[in-house]
Amino acid sequence: MKKTFKIIVLIIVALFATYSFLLSDFNPMFKNEEFVYLTNALKESRNRNFKSIINIENKIYKVVKKRRCNCETATTYIGPYRHGFSLTKKIYLLKIEKEFSNNECLKFLLIHYDFGNNNIGLKNASKFYFGKTVHKLNADEIMTIIMMLENSGLYNPVRNKDGVRNKLLVYKRILNKKTSR
């Protein structure tokens, strides 16, 4: 009985040590050029002020279940670029989630996301789709940008006006329920 207990304790300690090493700065995989770029870009995006967009996105996704978190989407900027489960991708995601908040990852996406029609980043997308600067976007336009972060091809306001309008109505109902409580 004592021998079994010691073995279980050793296994638990070994697993904890492995997990700690995998997420530590000593892990050589975090020296990967793409990961270093991502973490530096995430740190730089902390200074950006997208408060209105973040507030609306947070209100919507308190009600609607999001397919994946913003940090998971941000880690798609790191190879390997294969589909499906990857232990490497999972370790990168755990490290990013440990060091950055979901809102910081959202800021990164707003700066680097491909909104379609060769528009990289919120600044270019707001000019192209709405003819405005980011800070002049109204609530409907912000919700359209949030939809485009889900799927920029499906919720493209130029190509799929009806789909965008229908989803916009759903988001408006969600926000109205939240504010009326």
Side-chain angles (χ1 to χ4, degrees), residues 83-139:
H83 298 284
F85 179 78
S86 166
L87 184 59
T88 305
K89 285 275 198 196
K90 188 64 177 172
I91 293 169
Y92 284 139
L93 175 59
L94 290 171
K95 181 71 169 177
I96 293 295
E97 287 177 334
K98 180 180 172 187
E99 294 185 15
F100 301 97
S101 71
N102 194 46
N103 289 343
E104 290 169 332
C105 291
L106 175 59
K107 287 180 181 182
F108 169 83
L109 290 175
L110 289 169
I111 296 167
H112 295 92
Y113 189 77
D114 183 356
F115 286 94
N117 297 317
N118 222 9
N119 292 293
I120 308 295
L122 177 62
K123 182 179 172 184
N124 293 329
S126 65
K127 280 218 187 306
F128 180 82
Y129 292 111
F130 308 112
K132 299 178 179 180
T133 62
V134 174
H135 299 291
K136 292 184 179 178
L137 293 176
N138 63 35

Side-chain angles (χ1 to χ4, degrees), residues 47-63:
N47 301 329
R48 301 303 277 276
N49 182 12
F50 298 127
K51 197 172 203 169
S52 59
I53 298 169
I54 290 171
N55 288 339
I56 290 175
E57 200 247 12
N58 287 335
K59 287 176 186 174
I60 290 169
Y61 290 117
K62 281 183 182 175
V63 176

Side-chain angles (χ1 to χ4, degrees), residues 137-163:
L137 293 176
N138 63 35
D140 288 359
E141 293 162 342
I142 289 171
M143 286 185 276
T144 302
I145 291 291
I146 293 168
M147 282 185 262
M148 292 180 79
L149 284 171
E150 288 178 33
N151 186 332
S152 59
L154 180 60
Y155 298 116
N156 185 316
V158 173
R159 290 190 318 220
N160 187 6
K161 292 178 182 175
D162 291 336

